[in-house]
Amino acid sequence: MSDLFASSEASASSRLSAASTFDASPFESVPTFADVEPGDQQRWTTWPAITPSERGPLPWPDWVVTSAGALDTELGILKTGKEADVFLLERAVPDDPTQRTLLAAKRYRDSDHSSFHRSGVYTEGRSTRNTRDTRALAKKSEHGRAVAAAQWSFAEFDALSRMWELGAPVPYPVQVNGTELLMEFIGSDSGVAAPRLAAVRSDRAELDGLFDQVVDLMRIFATAGFAHGDLSAYNLLVHDGRVRVIDLPQIVDIIANPQGLDLLHRDCVNICDWFTRRRVERDAEELFAEMLAASYA
């Protein structure tokens, strides 16, 4: 189970350095779009510049824009966080309305610009196979800080990919490139983000259904041997009546991490306390027992 983390951390540095090189052969016949130039807050799509391992799980959803002629347009900021900021991005081929999608671009900061200081709790039990990276991380060198920031983006990309393949309600991870993770935007076509569960005002029957959805997604994680590690009503979105879970860089291996069970228990307490405060009483210990049973099934 800890291979998920080992693979993401081992490849973070190599992917970071390889981001500018790729095999151009599949794109030899792509038109040059000589009459189009990126404008303000625009860039050419980064899709062709990344390796296959940095793209989301196959099959790619129909809405994923893979054309080398697409432009990425930054539309604004969706969320600021302790370790990363999330921006709204449009990826579209000029003059082709059938090739347009909105993406959430999560960009991780290095340790000099991050206020996220709890990473050690979540990274226990993970390994870094690249010895140069291990030394750089220990020395907190410039290279080490870059590797550390990229590790979070690749860890979240790998976690999203794994959970997507298992059927968990997570945003589809489109690609990862250095410290930037592009994923499915959960919201309207006009760019209005789905509300967090914490902002939802529902009656008891609706809340009962939302709680059941949260338990279902926690069970998928637990069955695979993982806990979200920081689950709360603030990283659960509700879109068209469906709960989606976000913010997965700290996903925890329940067995390999010495604090894994404590973090799973905290997830259960956070969720049950939130629903109980809204007069939908739920027992955290009962939920924890259910998750434990799922993890050992």
Side-chain angles (χ1 to χ4, degrees):
M1 289 180 292
S2 57
D3 288 347
L4 172 62
F5 304 120
S7 62
S8 64
E9 295 187 354
S11 57
S13 178
S14 60
R15 286 166 161 174
L16 192 61
S17 62
S20 60
T21 62
F22 67 100
D23 180 6
S25 57
F27 307 102
E28 290 174 352
S29 62
V30 173
T32 60
F33 294 92
D35 57 338
V36 177
E37 288 294 336
D40 292 340
Q41 303 299 312
Q42 283 189 324
R43 69 186 184 193
W44 289 111
T45 174
T46 54
W47 179 268
I50 58 176
T51 63
S53 65
E54 296 168 333
R55 296 172 182 157
L58 293 170
W60 298 324
D62 292 340
W63 52 264
V64 174
V65 176
T66 61
S67 171
L71 290 172
D72 291 345
T73 304
E74 201 155 302
L75 300 178
I77 193 162
L78 293 171
K79 177 189 174 184
T80 58
K82 293 171 289 188
E83 77 279 13
D85 296 320
V86 183
F87 297 83
L88 180 63
L89 202 73
E90 178 194 63
R91 175 165 288 178
V93 176
D95 301 320
D96 186 351
T98 65
Q99 295 197 64
R100 172 192 177 272
T101 191
L102 293 176
L103 301 172
K106 189 169 186 176
R107 295 167 187 161
Y108 281 87
R109 308 187 199 101
D110 64 33
S111 57
D112 289 342
H113 301 90
S114 171
S115 60
F116 189 69
H117 300 300
R118 295 182 294 122
S119 62
V121 174
Y122 302 106
T123 56
E124 286 188 77
R126 303 186 189 184
S127 60
T128 303
R129 295 178 184 171
N130 187 306
T131 55
R132 175 173 177 259
D133 291 348
T134 301
R135 291 193 298 269
L137 286 167
K139 293 179 180 178
K140 298 183 179 179
S141 64
E142 182 177 351
H143 173 66
R145 291 193 296 273
V147 169
Q151 278 184 348
W152 285 108
S153 61
F154 285 106
E156 182 160 22
F157 175 79
D158 289 341
L160 286 170
S161 298
R162 172 75 178 273
M163 294 304 152
W164 173 270
E165 292 175 324
L166 292 175
V170 298
Y172 177 78
V174 175
Q175 67 175 72
V176 63
N177 184 23
T179 58
E180 181 184 72
L181 169 63
L182 297 185
M183 66 192 107
E184 177 186 3
F185 169 68
I186 309 298
S188 70
D189 291 340
S190 60
V192 178
R196 293 178 176 84
L197 176 60
V200 170
R201 299 293 178 265
S202 301
D203 59 30
R204 177 165 186 143
E206 291 171 325
L207 287 173
D208 279 337
L210 294 175
F211 178 81
D212 290 342
Q213 290 188 53
V214 175
V215 172
D216 287 343
L217 72 87
M218 291 180 70
R219 188 181 298 110
I220 293 173
F221 277 59
T223 300
F226 293 97
H228 183 280
D230 195 28
L231 193 62
S232 76
Y234 292 92
N235 47 35
L236 292 165
L237 305 180
V238 181
H239 183 55
D240 293 336
R242 184 185 178 199
V243 175
R244 308 285 288 275
V245 59
I246 58 173
D247 294 338
L248 270 65
Q250 74 295 310
I251 187 173
V252 173
D253 186 313
I254 297 172
I255 303 303
N257 189 313
Q259 301 186 61
L261 292 179
D262 290 336
L263 293 169
L264 174 61
H265 183 263
R266 188 178 70 181
D267 284 352
C268 295
V269 170
N270 286 345
I271 292 303
C272 289
D273 282 357
W274 188 87
F275 278 94
T276 297
R277 288 195 300 271
R278 280 145 189 84
R279 293 180 290 183
V280 180
E281 294 188 9
R282 292 294 184 269
D283 188 324
E285 300 307 318
E286 182 179 323
L287 178 59
F288 181 56
E290 182 179 346
M291 294 304 109
L292 278 181
S295 69
Y296 287 102

